[in-house]
Amino acid sequence: MIVEDIGESHARLGDLLSRADFAVAFTGAGISTECGIPDFRSKDSAWKRHPPVPFDEFMASAQARALTWRRKFAMDDLYAGAQPGRGHRALARLVEAGPVEAIITQNIDGLHEASGVPANRIVELHGNGTYAACLDCNTRYELADMRRCFEASGEAPSCDCGGFIKSATIAFGQAMPTQPMRRARDATMACDLFLAIGSSLVVYPAAAFPAAAKDNGARLVIVNRDPTPLDSAADLVLRGDIGEVLAPFAF
Ligand code: NAD
Ligand code: ZN
């Protein structure tokens, strides 16, 4: 069922939440657009002006690594200071008060944690863009230090161990992280309500989770302003603005 009326959206979502024992929220770039961070696919997206460099290219050439860092800093400048929005705040409250047990996110912006959700309730499928790490020994590095080093030398930073340092995100073509994938699968299989919020549901393997939850007997709710390939499988599609749909559930 597709619902566009905002009042009906609030009532139906409130009803499903009140009847759930274990809900999982799965979030994509759409939950952060009201915070000023563009999503990937909308037209005029800054991601199209600064397209991400595929992982194999990053590994293969110093030039590609330098380009990756230049684009990373340009994007960070665009959304420096972004704060959690109504969707993040609503989910933070639903984690604190129930029934949301886990937030699985495709986002790399760190805004779920910034909204007060404990790190052990957040599964970051595509990593975190607010710091960097060595690809070989996993040592953590801070972006401000990497920027100073990059701007002084013009070269992508590397670790004392010789490994390449990269933003702690999963690039296109990079293997999905094992532990987050396992945690996401466990939460998906444990839930009786799965809320897919602000994802176009086309990036795999992440987009397989909503379908798996539904196949396992959970109710599937999709909150998005555009249609997704899973709309026909969902129990409820709330087609509207995420901030408006989730606002009543925020503090
Ligand atoms: P996407 O860009 O493919 O889809 C976002 C969806 O959200 C779209 O269908 C769009 O219609 C919808 N949307 C945008 N703003 C909305 C709003 N205010 N209300 C309702 N719907 C809204 O995003 P994705 O599926 O998450 O995939 C993009 C990939 O790129 C992710 O895997 C992620 O790693 C990365 N990414 C991350 C960020 C971030 O961290 N904030 C931003 C852009 C891209
Ligand atoms: Zn290292």
Side-chain angles (χ1 to χ4, degrees), residues 134 137 159 161:
C134 170
C137 73
C159 181
C161 82

Side-chain angles (χ1 to χ4, degrees), residues 28-30 32-33 37-41 47 106-109 126 198-201 203 224-226 240-242:
S32 297
T33 53
I37 304 175
D39 65 8
F40 206 63
R41 286 175 177 73
W47 296 93
Q106 293 178 275
N107 295 342
I108 55 170
D109 54 31
H126 294 166
S199 172
S200 55
L201 299 179
V203 179
N224 211 53
R225 68 182 170 206
D226 288 315
D241 178 72
I242 291 163

Side-chain angles (χ1 to χ4, degrees), residues 193-243:
L193 177 64
F194 192 101
L195 310 169
I197 302 167
S199 172
S200 55
L201 299 179
V202 296
V203 179
Y204 279 82
F209 292 110
K214 177 71 189 158
D215 288 347
N216 194 45
R219 285 210 168 80
L220 174 60
V221 178
I222 294 175
V223 185
N224 211 53
R225 68 182 170 206
D226 288 315
T228 81
L230 281 181
D231 286 0
S232 56
D235 296 277
L236 181 61
V237 176
L238 303 178
R239 187 144 318 143
D241 178 72
I242 291 163

Side-chain angles (χ1 to χ4, degrees), residues 12-249:
R12 286 190 180 273
L13 183 57
D15 177 53
L16 286 175
L17 285 165
S18 71
R19 287 193 280 134
D21 289 323
F22 190 123
V24 163
F26 173 88
T27 63
I31 197 170
S32 297
T33 53
E34 77 168 16
C35 314
I37 304 175
D39 65 8
F40 206 63
R41 286 175 177 73
S42 303
K43 62 174 177 2
D44 305 330
S45 171
W47 296 93
K48 292 194 176 128
R49 274 179 282 126
H50 307 283
V53 177
F55 189 62
D56 57 345
E57 291 176 25
F58 181 92
M59 295 306 285
S61 96
Q63 214 180 349
R65 289 191 287 282
L67 179 64
T68 304
W69 279 103
R70 229 176 356 259
R71 287 183 178 166
K72 161 78 181 149
F73 295 135
M75 286 301 285
D76 283 2
D77 286 347
L78 286 179
Y79 54 74
Q83 298 296 322
R86 291 171 294 178
H88 299 100
R89 293 201 299 274
L91 292 181
R93 176 166 173 256
L94 291 167
V95 168
E96 193 178 317
V100 174
E101 295 288 335
I103 298 174
I104 303 170
T105 189
Q106 293 178 275
N107 295 342
I108 55 170
D109 54 31
L111 289 180
H112 287 300
E113 204 167 348
S115 72
V117 179
N120 65 1
R121 300 291 197 96
I122 304 170
V123 183
E124 290 172 326
L125 288 178
H126 294 166
N128 188 313
T130 65
Y131 60 92
C134 170
L135 288 173
D136 285 357
C137 73
N138 215 26
T139 299
R140 176 178 165 137
Y141 287 90
E142 300 312 318
L143 294 179
D145 299 332
M146 297 304 96
R147 190 163 191 159
R148 255 193 311 277
C149 161
F150 179 67
E151 284 172 356
S153 69
E155 283 173 23
S158 52
C159 181
D160 290 342
C161 82
F164 302 139
I165 299 172
K166 185 182 150 299
S167 148
T169 49
I170 306 298
F172 287 106
Q174 191 173 355
M176 292 295 282
T178 317
Q179 206 216 8
M181 283 296 282
R182 198 183 55 236
R183 286 177 62 209
R185 203 165 291 124
D186 288 350
T188 298
M189 289 304 152
C191 77
D192 59 356
L193 177 64
F194 192 101
L195 310 169
I197 302 167
S199 172
S200 55
L201 299 179
V202 296
V203 179
Y204 279 82
F209 292 110
K214 177 71 189 158
D215 288 347
N216 194 45
R219 285 210 168 80
L220 174 60
V221 178
I222 294 175
V223 185
N224 211 53
R225 68 182 170 206
D226 288 315
T228 81
L230 281 181
D231 286 0
S232 56
D235 296 277
L236 181 61
V237 176
L238 303 178
R239 187 144 318 143
D241 178 72
I242 291 163
E244 276 178 36
V245 170
L246 294 183
F249 303 96

